[in-house]
Amino acid sequence: MQDKITTLFKAIADPTRREIFHALVIATSALSITQISNQFEISRQGVTKHIKTLEHAGLVHIDSMGRERFCNANAKPLEEVNKWIKFYEQFWDNSLQGLGDYLDTKKA
Amino acid sequence: MQDKITTLFKAIADPTRREIFHALVIATSALSITQISNQFEISRQGVTKHIKTLEHAGLVHIDSMGRERFCNANAKPLEEVNKWIKFYEQFWDNSLQGLGDYLDTKKA
DNA sequence: CAAATAAGCAACCAAAAAGTTGCATATTAA
DNA sequence: TTAATATGCAACTTTTTGGTTGCTTATTTG
């Protein structure tokens, strides 16, 4: 399909999915599909689809208990996004920019 | 349309766009649309569209000089993404998790 | 000025994404 | 064991997205 980080970026690019993920992160216990659906305007099937996308990106882990499927958030994969971002930090952060300029000057 | 952070997330969710952005970030000088196109497989129009998306997200700034349009990367908006991510860091980073547990214990 | 170059605009296309409804199936409760 | 509940699966619709081609316009350059 597409590479891992793209799957991840796409998963969090959708606002509904970010909301669902957030709800799972701050939940005190795992939430079933129906429980999640009750918190959102969209249909249960819509939620299922989003959960599948999040699961595929590694952001959600599911524990099946009987007929219920309890969803847990897993923020770990976001570490990759964080790494991606980190590289560009030096280009927006002025203090780091200054550091870069300093090193350049030193070299010259 | 959609909120700012979603525009931003969607802009960086596309791998081609991330590549273009990266090329602009590491470029020693601003690049024209044609110059960018030469570095990628897709058509000039395709590049133009991506640039427009990046510009709309604030990740690219354009300086028009005569018939040419020179594109500069601007990483600053990524700071917002970084902030978004930061919140979830405590849920993946074990040391911070430990810190949270510690504070909870202290409270109790 | 004529030719070449840089780019925009518009229309189009195919595939993907976000969401829906309907129905089947498994599990639990009355 | 029948009814209710939780979910999955499949088909379908609408919108968005990533990309294309064709044509026009503006700016250089020979």
Side-chain angles (χ1 to χ4, degrees):
Chain A
M1 203 241 270
Q2 57 198 1
D3 64 291
K4 224 175 161 187
I5 189 107
T6 299
T7 301
L8 203 46
F9 271 123
K10 294 215 166 170
I12 59 175
D14 182 81
T16 305
R17 227 139 43 209
R18 282 201 308 280
E19 281 188 58
I20 292 176
F21 176 68
H22 190 80
L24 291 175
V25 165
I26 64 173
T28 49
S29 65
L31 301 178
S32 72
I33 301 287
T34 304
Q35 285 175 323
I36 298 168
S37 305
N38 292 339
Q39 297 186 35
F40 292 87
E41 294 287 273
I42 64 173
S43 71
R44 179 178 57 83
Q45 298 303 339
V47 170
T48 297
K49 273 197 170 186
H50 282 311
I51 288 291
K52 213 171 278 181
T53 304
L54 289 168
E55 195 187 7
H56 191 240
L59 292 166
V60 159
H61 169 253
I62 297 177
D63 276 319
S64 292
M65 303 248 297
R67 63 186 162 182
E68 284 167 293
R69 310 224 302 140
F70 291 99
C71 306
N72 305 275
N74 174 27
K76 198 94 179 196
L78 293 180
E79 207 169 356
E80 280 307 306
V81 176
N82 201 44
K83 273 186 208 160
W84 182 87
I85 287 260
K86 269 281 172 286
F87 173 78
Y88 300 104
E89 194 166 26
Q90 62 189 301
F91 299 101
W92 86 62
D93 190 322
N94 282 336
S95 65
L96 291 180
Q97 182 70 58
L99 176 66
D101 290 350
Y102 168 69
L103 292 172
D104 289 346
T105 313
K106 218 178 158 187
K107 255 186 275 175
Chain B
M1 203 242 269
Q2 58 197 0
D3 64 293
K4 223 174 160 188
I5 190 108
T6 300
T7 302
L8 203 47
F9 272 124
K10 292 210 168 172
I12 59 175
D14 182 79
T16 306
R17 229 142 38 214
R18 283 202 307 280
E19 280 188 58
I20 292 176
F21 175 69
H22 190 80
L24 290 175
V25 165
I26 64 172
T28 49
S29 65
L31 301 178
S32 72
I33 301 287
T34 305
Q35 285 175 325
I36 298 168
S37 305
N38 292 338
Q39 296 186 36
F40 292 86
E41 295 286 276
I42 63 173
S43 72
R44 180 178 56 82
Q45 299 302 338
V47 170
T48 297
K49 273 197 168 186
H50 283 310
I51 288 291
K52 213 171 277 179
T53 304
L54 289 168
E55 195 188 8
H56 191 241
L59 291 167
V60 159
H61 168 252
I62 297 177
D63 277 319
S64 292
M65 304 249 296
R67 64 185 163 183
E68 285 168 293
R69 310 223 304 140
F70 290 99
C71 306
N72 304 276
N74 174 28
K76 198 93 178 198
L78 293 180
E79 207 170 355
E80 280 307 306
V81 176
N82 201 46
K83 274 185 207 160
W84 182 86
I85 287 262
K86 269 280 172 287
F87 173 78
Y88 300 104
E89 194 166 26
Q90 61 190 301
F91 300 101
W92 86 63
D93 190 322
N94 281 337
S95 63
L96 292 181
Q97 184 69 59
L99 175 65
D101 290 350
Y102 167 69
L103 292 172
D104 288 348
T105 313
K106 217 179 162 188
K107 255 185 278 178

